[in-house]
Amino acid sequence: MSQPSPVADPGRPRRGRPRNPETDAAILAAARHILATRGFDALSIEAVAQATGISRVSIYRRWASKAHLTSEIANGGEGRLPDVIAEQGVEAEIRALVRQLYDRYAEPAIGAAAIGMIVSYQREPSLREELHSPLESDARAQLRSIVARGKALDLVREEVDADALFDIAVGTTLFRLLVSTEAPGASTADAIADIVLKGVAKAPA
């Protein structure tokens, strides 16, 4: 579910000097540190500029706003959903899916970025369509394909709705990590996977 920097346009020739990947990395590292240690409200382009010594103009050339920078941290580099159902079975697929979500959003910077993006979407709804909708649509399409493969292999119940499964796996994991007052434990991801699995796997004949 990763994406390039939101302001990049691979179809348009770049003017001037090419971007320095070390500068990109320094900006992202500083933003992650601020998110992890001080939260979304503390993150600003000015704060990143002060932390890195990189000019605000250079940062804005890469990310059009704080929301774009935060979205890169929340969504960039996530990779595709695990797809092991054909080789390892439905249990391995569900556990891998929940574990991927759990491990990602347990990272303090990513958790803070995810919460921050929800705030940003409420303040400026157009950002949801620009930054979130394409990523969610792609992720849902991936899961639909995995579920369809599971049904074809007679591993998944025919009535299972892939979009509902997406909502349950993602929503439950994010709620427990980012909203709930109950601290997650070492077995939380497995406990969530167990419950999801019981609603997905086809019972042995």
Side-chain angles (χ1 to χ4, degrees), residues 38-59:
R38 297 162 54 196
F40 178 73
D41 286 344
L43 180 65
S44 67
I45 299 299
E46 178 62 31
V48 174
Q50 291 180 0
T52 60
I54 298 168
S55 71
R56 293 174 60 191
V57 171
S58 293
I59 298 171

Side-chain angles (χ1 to χ4, degrees), residues 55-135:
S55 71
R56 293 174 60 191
V57 171
S58 293
I59 298 171
Y60 277 121
R61 285 195 187 115
R62 292 162 168 82
W63 291 280
S65 70
K66 167 182 172 176
H68 288 81
L69 178 57
T70 305
S71 178
E72 178 80 1
I73 293 167
N75 300 306
E78 188 170 356
R80 297 183 65 79
L81 297 182
D83 186 355
V84 298
I85 196 166
E87 298 81 12
Q88 300 178 37
V90 67
E91 179 173 354
E93 176 63 41
I94 295 299
R95 293 193 186 283
L97 172 63
V98 173
R99 176 56 64 181
Q100 183 189 72
L101 292 166
Y102 188 91
D103 289 348
R104 178 165 182 79
Y105 288 98
E107 294 185 27
I110 293 177
I115 292 294
M117 290 314 300
I118 294 172
V119 173
S120 296
Y121 299 148
Q122 294 299 314
R123 292 174 177 169
E124 194 172 343
S126 63
L127 288 173
R128 186 191 302 272
E129 290 302 312
E130 178 187 355
L131 300 177
H132 179 78
S133 292
L135 297 171

